[in-house]
Amino acid sequence: MAITYAQAGVDIDRGDELVERIKPLARRTRTPLVVSDVGGFAGLCRVPPGMSDPVLVSGTDGVGTKLKIAFATGQHGTIGEDLVAMCVNDIVTCGAAPLFFLDYFATGRLSLEVAEAVIAGIARGCELAGCALLGGETAELPGMYADGEYDLAGFAVGAVDRPALIDGRRVQAGDAVIGCASTGLHSNGYSLARRVLQTELGLALDAHVPELGQTAGEALLTPTRIYAKAVAALLDGHDGRVHAQSHITGGGLPGNVPRVLPEGTGVALREGSWDPAPIFSLIERGGPVERREMWRAFNMGLGLVVVVDPAFADEAVRRLSAAGERATIVGEVEARGADVQFEDRVRFV
Amino acid sequence: MAITYAQAGVDIDRGDELVERIKPLARRTRTPLVVSDVGGFAGLCRVPPGMSDPVLVSGTDGVGTKLKIAFATGQHGTIGEDLVAMCVNDIVTCGAAPLFFLDYFATGRLSLEVAEAVIAGIARGCELAGCALLGGETAELPGMYADGEYDLAGFAVGAVDRPALIDGRRVQAGDAVIGCASTGLHSNGYSLARRVLQTELGLALDAHVPELGQTAGEALLTPTRIYAKAVAALLDGHDGRVHAQSHITGGGLPGNVPRVLPEGTGVALREGSWDPAPIFSLIERGGPVERREMWRAFNMGLGLVVVVDPAFADEAVRRLSAAGERATIVGEVEARGADVQFEDRVRFV
């Protein structure tokens, strides 16, 4: 009896069926710059015209063990939004406009329903970010993932004209620091969050938690905020007054804000000047988890931090708010010794 | 006793240590177009100057269950080359010059030694392809991968000037079909290959197989050929005479060659006009696996198929050979009814 590929665990026809289901989702994300549909060997996208020295800005990320919440709740519809957010928020910090996105979806045995739900979330994320879902790979890896589990990786590319690149070099003492609220944990710190909420506090994902005003599962699955369109509104004709932007991911505020600060500067952030989602205090008390560890593992309520010319601060807050963000001035840039440790360049006051 | 992130299974310091080890590897792949080092929020790369209408060509892929061979043999040094090959070979088919590459490496518990070996392979692949390793994500996902296992996704971006885009539209009956030898299975069909070699034939990976002239593990781990530089040599001033290129991956010759053929055309390939590695016949007899299934699961000895103006065929073979490929004329384009099924547009004679 001859052996077939399907018997070895890989069903090419099921993969082809998924491609057919994805096509209309991807088509809705098409932008005028896209040259091809999904399906060829590669995705094609023009460079935006009119740039004197176009620079491509790229980023890749996954969503970490937030996946485990999707597996446990059977809710696969928004994790794709998280994936897009994690990648796109990185590239917009440089001032880049997102152009396109590609995804990698790997699983043991392909479930068309799950894969389609995940990729529909990716497509919605691309719409929210204003970029095209240009391609992707769906990998069936028998024996590598537990039943019903999968991993996701995303790749985003944007473009910025080199003179408009935002790289933190203009940051100086006295600049205003603006924070945009996160929607919750976003996609970082889930191993610690699950350890505390599920193991230490024994919360079931489907149990209503009064402090959260929703179930633990709902709070943990809240999609990562996509800041692309708000950043575009902020940067429109900002004329160099936006000096730096930082996407708050793994490492938290102390691990991410200093990445865009020039030597000899730091920031002072006023705790209490923003309003974190209740899940952070639940985790902190539930562990307990030390404050310092909380800052390092979680965004603690701010998903995007923007450093601007102080004369532009109110206008910046207005623009971000008009774009739907909860934005406030949360601190300022201060001079710091060049010998100050990386993470100590963020000071909480 | 307070809980820390490390106790929850994620070691940020180990991740930082890996980043430090990767930096010199990535630095060696820098090209003159790269603006930033790895380490910021995003990777920056200029668009090559001098193009009238630059088009970005992007592709993402993984290496499938070839990973299982790396796990079983403990040889992690070349799987990264496979990853680059799978992505870059896709984008060069459009005529794009590779610009940069990003990787996603996910594991349960990070082993610095394994991760560094894998990423060193990725960096070497980038050097072979002439593109910059511009960034990457290393994800530690406790509980998602078996001990010692990991998954990999890659993402490549290249650029081509729109008038020079190769999209198969010039293909016509009478065109010559040139095949470039694969080095073996490349990175497709491993679930079937392992089923036959390990389960049916009971071959140990470290056992010398006379028919292969090496161990099964060595044959199965042979890196996927990277055709980027050969394609660049082929396309240099080709003046429209290269009509189409197809990277032979999952789906084999019948699944990939028709993707670049215009309607009403097909190809006739002369079996015996190229020289497949012995692993294909070992699998075919060992299963047994039907011939038709073999064509669909494996590249069967050809990793890249190029369709050229017949007057350019000898010159094309010369160029590819000079670039180090084993290239031969393997068939020609013929007229086919527009109603011929996709896979039947490849005819073996």
Side-chain angles (χ1 to χ4, degrees):
Chain A
M1 182 65 180
I3 291 175
T4 66
Y5 206 11
Q7 284 165 354
V10 177
D11 189 334
I12 292 181
D13 293 331
R14 201 158 59 227
D16 289 346
E17 162 73 15
L18 180 64
V19 170
E20 288 309 310
R21 293 198 192 187
I22 293 169
K23 273 185 184 167
L25 302 174
R27 202 171 293 127
R28 281 175 43 203
T29 69
R30 272 188 78 125
T31 66
L33 293 170
V34 172
V35 177
S36 70
D37 269 314
V38 172
F41 280 106
L44 305 185
C45 180
R46 294 175 58 217
V47 174
M51 291 188 180
S52 62
D53 185 4
V55 172
L56 304 175
V57 182
S58 57
T60 178
D61 214 340
V63 296
T65 50
K66 188 166 188 171
L67 288 166
K68 292 264 185 192
I69 311 295
F71 304 157
T73 58
Q75 302 294 319
H76 304 284
T78 54
I79 199 80
E81 237 178 271
D82 290 293
L83 186 70
V84 175
M86 292 304 290
C87 299
V88 163
N89 289 346
D90 270 355
I91 67 171
V92 299
T93 62
C94 302
L99 292 176
F100 61 85
F101 186 86
L102 295 93
D103 74 284
Y104 173 81
F105 176 98
T107 190
R109 186 179 183 282
L110 186 61
S111 155
L112 282 177
E113 287 62 38
V114 170
E116 189 181 5
V118 170
I119 295 167
I122 293 173
R124 191 173 49 256
C126 287
E127 287 186 80
L128 290 170
C131 66
L133 176 54
L134 202 56
E137 166 68 8
T138 304
E140 205 169 11
L141 305 172
M144 283 242 338
Y145 293 91
D147 273 359
E149 299 202 350
Y150 52 85
D151 197 6
L152 286 178
F155 303 99
V157 173
V160 57
D161 204 2
R162 196 165 183 178
L165 191 62
I166 297 174
D167 58 6
R169 137 181 7 185
R170 308 172 74 133
V171 171
Q172 55 182 341
D175 279 358
V177 179
I178 294 166
C180 290
S182 63
T183 53
L185 301 188
H186 282 182
S187 305
N188 287 103
Y190 274 74
S191 292
L192 180 55
R194 290 188 304 120
R195 165 76 186 266
V196 171
L197 299 179
Q198 300 186 275
T199 310
E200 300 297 322
L201 296 179
L203 294 176
L205 290 174
D206 59 359
H208 183 83
V209 181
E211 183 167 355
L212 301 176
Q214 59 189 163
T215 68
E218 285 164 349
L220 288 168
L221 269 185
T222 307
T224 307
R225 185 84 184 163
I226 296 175
Y227 299 104
K229 291 193 174 168
V231 166
L234 174 69
L235 297 182
D236 184 28
H238 73 100
D239 203 20
R241 291 175 295 176
V242 175
H243 295 169
Q245 300 183 107
S246 176
H247 178 209
I248 311 305
T249 58
L253 289 157
N256 287 288
V257 173
R259 291 162 74 173
V260 294
L261 297 178
E263 251 190 37
T265 63
V267 299
L269 299 181
R270 284 185 296 278
E271 285 194 63
S273 62
W274 71 92
D275 188 25
I279 195 165
F280 298 105
S281 56
L282 182 65
I283 292 170
E284 185 170 3
R285 286 181 293 103
V289 180
E290 282 183 8
R291 202 20 107 88
R292 190 185 139 76
E293 192 78 4
M294 289 295 296
W295 287 121
R296 206 171 173 232
F298 301 110
N299 66 62
M300 294 298 275
L302 296 181
L304 182 75
V305 165
V306 182
V307 178
V308 302
D309 183 319
F312 187 61
D314 291 336
E315 167 73 9
V317 168
R318 247 192 320 271
R319 288 183 180 202
L320 292 166
S321 304
E325 302 306 323
R326 287 195 295 126
T328 48
I329 299 176
V330 295
E332 53 273 313
V333 175
E334 50 186 22
R336 305 296 294 275
D339 58 332
V340 172
Q341 295 276 314
F342 187 83
E343 297 205 348
D344 295 333
R345 290 166 70 190
V346 175
R347 196 165 67 88
F348 297 97
V349 296
Chain B
M1 183 65 181
I3 291 175
T4 65
Y5 205 13
Q7 284 165 357
V10 177
D11 189 333
I12 293 182
D13 292 330
R14 202 158 56 226
D16 289 345
E17 162 73 15
L18 180 63
V19 169
E20 289 309 311
R21 293 198 193 188
I22 293 169
K23 273 184 185 170
L25 302 174
R27 203 170 293 127
R28 281 176 42 203
T29 69
R30 273 187 78 127
T31 67
L33 294 169
V34 171
V35 177
S36 70
D37 268 314
V38 171
F41 281 106
L44 305 183
C45 181
R46 294 175 59 215
V47 174
M51 292 187 181
S52 63
D53 185 4
V55 172
L56 305 175
V57 182
S58 57
T60 180
D61 213 338
V63 296
T65 50
K66 187 166 187 171
L67 288 166
K68 293 262 185 194
I69 311 295
F71 304 156
T73 59
Q75 301 295 319
H76 304 283
T78 54
I79 198 82
E81 236 179 270
D82 290 294
L83 186 70
V84 175
M86 292 303 289
C87 299
V88 163
N89 289 345
D90 270 355
I91 67 171
V92 299
T93 61
C94 302
L99 292 176
F100 61 85
F101 186 85
L102 294 93
D103 75 284
Y104 173 81
F105 176 97
T107 189
R109 185 179 183 282
L110 185 60
S111 156
L112 282 177
E113 287 62 39
V114 170
E116 189 180 5
V118 170
I119 296 169
I122 292 173
R124 192 174 47 256
C126 286
E127 287 185 81
L128 290 169
C131 67
L133 176 55
L134 202 56
E137 166 69 8
T138 304
E140 205 169 9
L141 305 172
M144 283 238 341
Y145 292 90
D147 273 359
E149 299 202 351
Y150 53 85
D151 197 7
L152 285 178
F155 169 68
V157 173
V160 57
D161 204 3
R162 196 164 182 178
L165 191 61
I166 297 175
D167 59 6
R169 149 184 350 192
R170 307 171 75 133
V171 171
Q172 55 182 340
D175 279 357
V177 179
I178 293 165
C180 290
S182 62
T183 52
L185 301 187
H186 282 183
S187 305
N188 288 101
Y190 274 74
S191 292
L192 180 54
R194 289 188 304 120
R195 165 75 187 265
V196 170
L197 298 179
Q198 300 186 276
T199 311
E200 301 296 322
L201 295 180
L203 293 177
L205 290 175
D206 59 359
H208 183 83
V209 181
E211 182 167 355
L212 301 176
Q214 59 189 162
T215 68
E218 286 163 349
L220 288 168
L221 269 185
T222 307
T224 307
R225 185 86 185 162
I226 295 175
Y227 298 105
K229 291 193 175 168
V231 167
L234 174 69
L235 298 183
D236 184 29
H238 73 100
D239 203 18
R241 290 175 296 175
V242 175
H243 293 168
Q245 301 183 106
S246 177
H247 178 208
I248 311 306
T249 57
L253 289 157
N256 287 288
V257 173
R259 291 163 76 175
V260 294
L261 297 178
E263 252 190 37
T265 64
V267 299
L269 299 181
R270 283 185 297 279
E271 284 193 63
S273 62
W274 71 92
D275 187 26
I279 195 166
F280 298 106
S281 57
L282 182 64
I283 293 171
E284 184 170 2
R285 285 181 293 103
V289 179
E290 283 184 7
R291 203 19 111 83
R292 189 185 140 76
E293 192 77 4
M294 290 294 296
W295 287 120
R296 205 171 174 233
F298 301 109
N299 66 61
M300 295 298 274
L302 296 181
L304 182 76
V305 165
V306 182
V307 179
V308 302
D309 183 319
F312 188 60
D314 291 336
E315 167 73 10
V317 168
R318 247 193 320 271
R319 288 183 180 203
L320 291 166
S321 304
E325 303 305 323
R326 288 196 293 128
T328 48
I329 299 176
V330 294
E332 53 272 313
V333 175
E334 50 185 22
R336 305 295 294 274
D339 58 333
V340 172
Q341 294 277 315
F342 186 84
E343 297 204 350
D344 294 334
R345 290 165 69 190
V346 175
R347 196 165 67 90
F348 296 97
V349 295

